[in-house]
Amino acid sequence: MPDQADSRSDMSGTRSAMSGTRSDMSGTTSNDVDPLKVTIIGAGIGGLALAQILSSSPEIQVTCYERNASVDDRVSGFRVMLSGNTLGILKRKLRSQTWAHIALGIGEQPEGGEKIEFFKGDGEHMFTWDSDPTRDQFSVSRWHLREGLVQQASFLRSGIAFEGYEILPNGRARAYFSDGSTDECDLLVGADGPNSRVRKQLIPKATINDVGMAVIYFKVPLTERTLMLLGSSGRSMVNPLSLPPT
């Protein structure tokens, strides 16, 4: 699912360095209670989706930092699969304009739901992965998803790289950035991918284990021959180990 541009997202795997107090910032809500200040590191799909949802609450002040100068030009990468439940939550929680843009990139679900076909390199069918979670998946354009999530993103600070954080005596967190600036918050969220600097500091002994497998996504022209290889309207995967030697 993830490519280098969007690996931060895969919507799972965000990590938090939490504090136990509310912000002592000057801004207050209508109930005269200081809003919870949330700082998100990483503007991938996961970080942007979280920021969009949190920013709709008047009781939360959110800022999202991205090390790259631009986050709206990453047109590379394959489509991402999201469940109907996930899409339903996004539709309810996101602003109508944001959701309308994302909805343009949601593919039609095949009859009977999604399933994944596995083939050998010579086209021989190996097996079909057909489970309830798989059937409830919708193919969503990463480009439309990212373009939608950066709509009305006043919380976004791009071109600023996160370098580290410290926990303050009052329980809040102070984040340090490459331009010399700092930001204090009640909740620090690491949505900065598999090489997350937030995770490395929060859980320094955590490691990424190589399972010895790789998934390669690709696109091919839809011809009569390739259509016959698919065998169904679901997704297909080819076992590269069975390809003849060259």
Side-chain angles (χ1 to χ4, degrees), residues 1 10 17-18 25-26 28 37-38 55 62 93 97 107 131 136-138 152 164 166 186 204 215 230-231 235 242:
M1 168 177 164
D10 6 40
M18 292 181 287
M25 55 188 288
S26 59
T28 57
K37 187 174 181 183
V38 179
S55 66
V62 60
K93 297 295 185 180
Q97 287 181 318
S131 64
D136 186 40
Q137 299 290 309
F138 290 82
Q152 299 178 315
E166 68 171 324
D186 300 296
V215 176
L230 291 177
R235 287 170 285 162
S242 63

Side-chain angles (χ1 to χ4, degrees), residues 189-203:
V189 179
D192 47 343
N195 296 315
S196 168
R197 288 190 175 184
V198 177
R199 188 200 66 240
K200 287 180 180 178
Q201 183 174 343
L202 181 65
I203 319 173

Side-chain angles (χ1 to χ4, degrees), residues 53-131:
I53 292 173
L54 294 181
S55 66
S56 65
S57 172
E59 298 179 352
I60 300 177
Q61 178 182 339
V62 60
T63 307
C64 181
Y65 290 90
E66 166 58 40
R67 68 174 182 267
N68 293 312
S70 177
V71 297
D72 59 359
D73 60 349
R74 300 176 185 176
V75 297
S76 61
F78 204 68
R79 298 174 71 87
V80 61
M81 303 304 296
L82 298 179
S83 69
N85 181 58
T86 298
L87 291 173
I89 293 174
L90 291 176
K91 183 177 181 179
R92 292 193 301 271
K93 297 295 185 180
L94 295 177
R95 298 177 179 88
S96 58
Q97 287 181 318
T98 300
W99 170 254
H101 196 101
I102 293 173
L104 294 173
I106 302 176
E108 293 186 7
Q109 197 177 53
E111 183 178 354
E114 281 278 357
K115 59 182 177 180
I116 305 178
E117 306 276 355
F118 287 81
F119 297 89
K120 292 183 178 180
D122 59 3
E124 180 184 347
H125 183 264
M126 297 173 63
F127 64 93
T128 299
W129 184 10
D130 188 10
S131 64

